[in-house]
Amino acid sequence: MNFEALLSDRLATALQAVAGRPVDAAVRRSQHADFQSGAALPLARVLRRAPRDVASDVLARADLGGIAVAEVSGPGFVNLSVDDGLVHAALAELAADGRLGVPLTTEPRTVVVDYSAPNVAKELHVGHLRSTVIGDAAARLLEWAGHRVVRANHLGDWGTPFGMLLEHLLETGGGEGGDLTAFYRAARARFDADPEFRVRARLRVVALQGGDATTTALWRRLVAQSESYFLDVYDRLGVTLTAGDFVGESFYQDMLADVVAELEDKGLVRVSDGALCAFPDGFTGRDGGPLPLIVRKSDGGFGYAATDLAALRHRVRELGASQLLYVVGTPQRMHFQMVYAVARAAGWLPAGVTATHIGFGSILGPDGRTFASRSGDPVKLADLLDTAEQRASALSADPLVARAVGVGALKYADLSGDRMSDYLFDWDRMLALTGNTGPYLQYAHARIRSILRKSGAAPGPVSLTDPAERALALELLAFPALVEQVVSSLELHRLAGQLYRVATTFSAFYERCPVRTAPPAVRDSRLGLCELTARVLRQGLGLLGIDTPERM
Ligand code: ARG
């Protein structure tokens, strides 16, 4: 049961009667009671009345019978204490529900989550961390809510760089020993320095696009090598992307001509400076002129935008998606807004189908600038994972636990802040056992599991006597509504924040309330509360893609 919503609802009716118009009840958790509403204060200003009078008026009209006891407090707050019986009933319901109060959606959608999307023959680096971690959490969350989720790993596996890469591979056999960065760089260096190589590289692109057998086989090998490398990193990172989710840019090549034909038919593109462009409404350049989305370049080649348009059309038409999410860094925001605008004009995003760019800020190094390695290259994700595991081994001697803690710390640091903000990459902070960190939450969970193991008794129905128990219960009860809210907003940090509140309230409870040494009835009730707390932490962290080891 969502107390906050229930109380807001009842107060809103009363507020409307007093104000003569709808007023937000602004019900929040409070130190002074279970919940508090501050709505009377701003309303009193508008009505030019004393705030306490307004609050009393509201209370006199509010139908809270059997739900809560209310009183006016301080300058005009309304303090609300939820009915005991109701709290107990809600707790019992939560505990009995395998889904912890989160209903399966009654309107399942097909949701395509486009995330991770590294480029073939390049390292997965820190720039891919956020897309991969955020996208994976979003996919888990939507799936758990009952939606059909299609994970789309839009691999960069096509385009002009492949001429240079394949030609280099063919001529040298790729002697860089599997080092992707070195391989890419060597190919690039030759391309830049050697005009004859450049010519051969261009011919190689033509051969690839023309389906030449040798070239295609070579390209397949290159892509397969990268894919298996990416899968290794995904496995270590504990993300749910599999081989079946790779749908690279190359997949859409056969559709591009038709996409262009359809755009032409609908009069949505025209030639500008030799390139075929769409000029979606509402997008202007620096000079105030219309901004082009280049669908076909002047040399006849298709670019990134054409592929994204084809992918979008495919996802809606063939996959039946009604929600498209693109988890890609904020610098690409404009690109996606333009793609959506063109797609909408073309009728590829009919009513009821949404396309959303799930942007995110950058990861900054300790100096506050882009996080780079000493050589100035972006930090490899594989190296980050090595360091995470190695550092976490100080927290646990068990290598599996150390891995869960290291990876968990990395992911939690990424997911616990508002995703639109940049954040500072700081090993010490993310691995700290105190504060809003992954290890702190994993530790809270492991500690509860240990209490349960050592108790030698079975958790019983919960009966609240101490205020610290009640505070914990209210945080647990807030879980389902919060999950539902995050499923729609994808503000993953709110879920993280709620789990953190659960863990800290648990700590406060455990400090005050003995469990194992309490009289049996109290002990069993407290064990019940412990168990429910562990379940909420485990489920919540699981939705964020973070493991919860039994022991730490
Ligand atoms: N491969 C691209 C990059 O590394 C990201 C692709 C994002 N997804 C998309 N549908 N465009 O920048």
Side-chain angles (χ1 to χ4, degrees):
M1 183 171 322
N2 184 353
F3 291 140
E4 214 166 289
L6 182 62
L7 295 169
S8 293
D9 203 52
R10 297 298 168 97
L11 284 188
T13 312
L15 279 158
Q16 173 147 20
V18 173
R21 59 175 175 85
V23 178
D24 177 9
V27 172
R28 308 272 181 271
R29 285 278 291 124
S30 157
Q31 307 281 340
H32 309 288
D34 292 342
F35 294 93
Q36 188 174 68
S37 161
L41 296 160
L43 179 58
R45 235 167 294 142
V46 179
L47 300 177
R48 296 174 190 282
R49 292 180 47 194
R52 286 188 63 98
D53 282 357
V54 174
S56 309
D57 238 16
V58 170
L59 278 193
R61 292 170 198 249
D63 172 15
L64 295 169
I67 298 175
V69 177
E71 60 175 15
V72 177
S73 104
F77 290 110
V78 170
N79 285 357
L80 298 147
S81 298
V82 181
D83 179 80
D84 257 356
L86 206 58
V87 174
H88 282 99
L91 262 184
E93 205 180 305
L94 190 70
D97 184 354
R99 293 185 49 87
L100 290 166
V102 182
L104 274 174
T105 179
T106 50
E107 290 169 0
R109 301 184 290 269
T110 294
V111 186
V112 174
V113 188
D114 182 321
Y115 71 107
S116 195
N119 298 321
V120 164
K122 283 196 176 179
E123 280 292 337
L124 263 165
H125 56 74
V126 64
H128 299 105
L129 179 66
R130 302 212 70 184
S131 170
T132 307
V133 166
I134 294 168
D136 204 54
R140 287 170 190 260
L141 203 66
L142 286 157
E143 208 155 58
W144 195 59
H147 299 291
R148 174 173 166 254
V149 172
V150 179
R151 290 165 175 77
N153 198 346
H154 194 79
L155 208 62
D157 64 353
W158 201 250
T160 42
F162 283 86
M164 148 192 119
L165 292 167
L166 292 172
E167 191 59 27
H168 179 66
L169 184 60
L170 199 66
E171 291 177 19
T172 65
E176 284 79 18
D179 180 338
L180 291 174
T181 311
F183 170 74
Y184 193 94
R185 195 168 295 145
R188 179 94 240 168
R190 276 182 82 197
F191 187 85
D192 289 341
D194 179 354
E196 281 166 29
F197 179 76
R198 242 174 352 247
V199 172
R200 294 199 296 280
R202 294 224 168 89
L203 290 174
R204 191 55 63 190
V205 181
V206 177
L208 179 63
Q209 288 172 345
D212 169 67
T214 322
T215 308
T216 306
L218 200 64
W219 170 76
R220 286 232 169 83
R221 215 175 80 203
L222 190 67
V223 173
Q225 262 171 17
S226 290
E227 287 187 350
S228 87
Y229 174 77
F230 297 148
L231 287 172
D232 260 13
V233 177
Y234 293 150
D235 184 47
R236 293 185 64 191
L237 196 57
V239 295
T240 55
L241 284 167
T242 64
D245 303 321
F246 286 118
V247 185
E249 294 177 16
S250 63
F251 177 79
Y252 304 100
Q253 294 313 300
D254 293 348
M255 307 172 197
L256 298 181
D258 188 60
V259 161
V260 169
E262 207 182 322
L263 292 175
E264 278 175 328
D265 275 358
K266 292 177 171 158
L268 293 169
V269 282
R270 63 181 159 88
V271 176
S272 168
D273 285 335
L276 192 66
C277 302
F279 292 91
D281 285 345
F283 294 88
T284 47
R286 286 220 184 97
D287 58 357
L291 201 61
L293 182 73
I294 299 175
V295 178
R296 195 177 59 214
K297 293 181 277 186
S298 54
D299 66 5
F302 297 106
Y304 191 59
T307 305
D308 267 323
L309 285 166
L312 183 151
R313 193 183 75 163
H314 177 79
R315 288 167 184 178
V316 176
R317 268 194 202 165
E318 310 318 319
L319 305 181
S322 60
Q323 186 179 15
L324 304 174
L325 301 175
Y326 294 79
V327 189
V328 186
T330 308
Q332 293 195 34
R333 187 185 143 74
M334 174 84 107
H335 162 77
F336 285 110
Q337 299 309 333
M338 292 179 82
V339 166
Y340 303 158
V342 174
R344 195 161 292 115
W348 301 337
L349 280 177
V353 180
T354 60
T356 315
H357 176 226
I358 307 293
F360 48 83
S362 313
I363 305 181
L364 306 175
D367 58 357
R369 284 188 290 178
T370 316
F371 190 35
S373 64
R374 211 167 299 170
S375 64
D377 291 331
V379 182
K380 292 183 189 179
L381 208 44
D383 291 347
L384 276 186
L385 286 165
D386 288 344
T387 311
E389 284 176 25
Q390 183 226 322
R391 285 196 176 232
S393 63
L395 297 175
S396 171
D398 179 336
L400 284 179
V401 174
R403 170 183 281 205
V405 173
V407 172
L410 201 60
K411 287 183 169 179
Y412 193 83
D414 201 289
L415 296 169
S416 53
D418 182 333
R419 67 178 148 73
M420 295 310 280
S421 314
D422 298 345
Y423 74 91
L424 222 64
F425 195 91
D426 181 344
W427 284 118
D428 291 331
R429 203 166 78 198
M430 70 174 78
L431 280 159
L433 273 173
T434 52
N436 190 9
T437 70
Y440 173 73
L441 290 177
Q442 287 172 320
Y443 181 71
H445 172 266
R447 185 177 176 207
I448 300 170
R449 297 298 305 162
S450 140
I451 294 166
L452 290 165
R453 267 195 312 275
K454 289 181 184 151
S455 74
V462 178
S463 158
L464 306 168
T465 50
D466 192 280
E469 294 175 314
R470 189 181 178 92
L472 175 56
L474 289 175
E475 293 306 339
L476 296 171
L477 287 167
F479 179 74
L482 195 109
V483 169
E484 285 196 88
Q485 192 264 326
V486 176
V487 166
S488 64
S489 71
L490 295 176
E491 293 171 307
L492 301 163
H493 69 286
R494 285 172 169 268
L495 176 54
Q498 183 58 27
L499 298 175
Y500 180 58
R501 273 190 295 281
V502 165
T504 52
T505 358
F506 176 81
S507 241
F509 149 76
Y510 195 59
E511 241 162 66
R512 252 182 83 96
C513 305
V515 177
R516 274 194 283 155
T517 53
V522 179
R523 176 197 63 199
D524 296 352
S525 157
R526 288 184 178 162
L527 285 173
L529 206 50
C530 286
E531 186 179 51
L532 194 54
T533 305
R535 283 174 59 200
V536 166
L537 288 175
R538 183 183 179 81
Q539 182 64 55
L541 287 170
L543 290 172
L544 296 177
I546 296 171
D547 285 343
T548 35
E550 280 292 295
R551 293 160 212 265
M552 263 175 85

